Every structure is written in structure tokens, then in C-alpha cells.
């Protein structure tokens, strides 16, 4: 299988993690110690988003693997 030139899921994962870290640092700068709960929720959202991307990647990989196996079986 050839890899696409641009991996949308990888770019989405990198962008979401960067945005989350920027938000965490901004919350600390603006709110001080009161930012702790918001930072926790932001981190939880980052982890949930990363797990969602991992599941989509796994689904796509398995789908492609099944299609390849089906194609090889028909030939």
C-alpha cells in the first residue's frame, strides 16, 4: 500500500495538540491558579481527541486491509 503525500489525520492530530498546549499556557497566563480545572478539562479533551483520531486511523487501516484481501481473493 502506498502512503498518501499528505496525511490529514496526522495534520489534524498535530494541530489539535498544539492548540491544546497553547490554550493550557494561555489559561495559566490569564487566570493564574484558577486555571487548574480548565487546564484539566483541556488536557482531557486533547486525550479524547487523540484517541478518536487513533480509532479512525485503525478503522481506515483495517478497512484497507480487508479490501486488499478481498481483491487478492478475487484475482
Amino acid at each position: 500500500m502506498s502512503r498518501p503525500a499528505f496525511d490529514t489525520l496526522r495534520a489534524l492530530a498535530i494541530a489539535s495538540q498544539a492548540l491544546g498546549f497553547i490554550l493550557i499556557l494561555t489559561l495559566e497566563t490569564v487566570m493564574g491558579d484558577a486555571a487548574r480545572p480548565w487546564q484539566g478539562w483541556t488536557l482531557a479533551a486533547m486525550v479524547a481527541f487523540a484517541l478518536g483520531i487513533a480509532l479512525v486511523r485503525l478503522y481506515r487501516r483495517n478497512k484497507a486491509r480487508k479490501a486488499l484481501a478481498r481483491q487478492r481473493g478475487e484475482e
Side-chain angles (χ1 to χ4, degrees):
M1 273 187 281
S2 65
R3 295 184 142 220
F6 180 76
D7 189 357
T8 306
L9 287 178
R10 184 177 303 259
L12 190 59
I14 292 170
S16 69
Q17 296 299 304
L19 183 64
F21 283 124
I22 290 169
L23 182 58
I24 286 173
L25 292 174
T26 303
L27 286 169
E28 180 70 28
T29 303
V30 173
M31 298 176 72
D33 285 337
R36 297 282 184 223
W38 293 105
Q39 289 173 326
W41 283 110
T42 302
L43 185 60
M46 289 167 60
V47 170
F49 200 77
L51 287 174
I53 290 174
L55 286 175
V56 169
R57 183 178 299 279
L58 183 64
Y59 171 77
R60 287 182 179 178
R61 186 181 308 136
N62 286 342
K63 186 177 174 183
R65 197 175 289 152
K66 285 180 184 179
L68 185 63
R70 202 176 308 121
Q71 184 181 21
R72 287 183 180 169
E74 291 177 2
E75 290 181 65

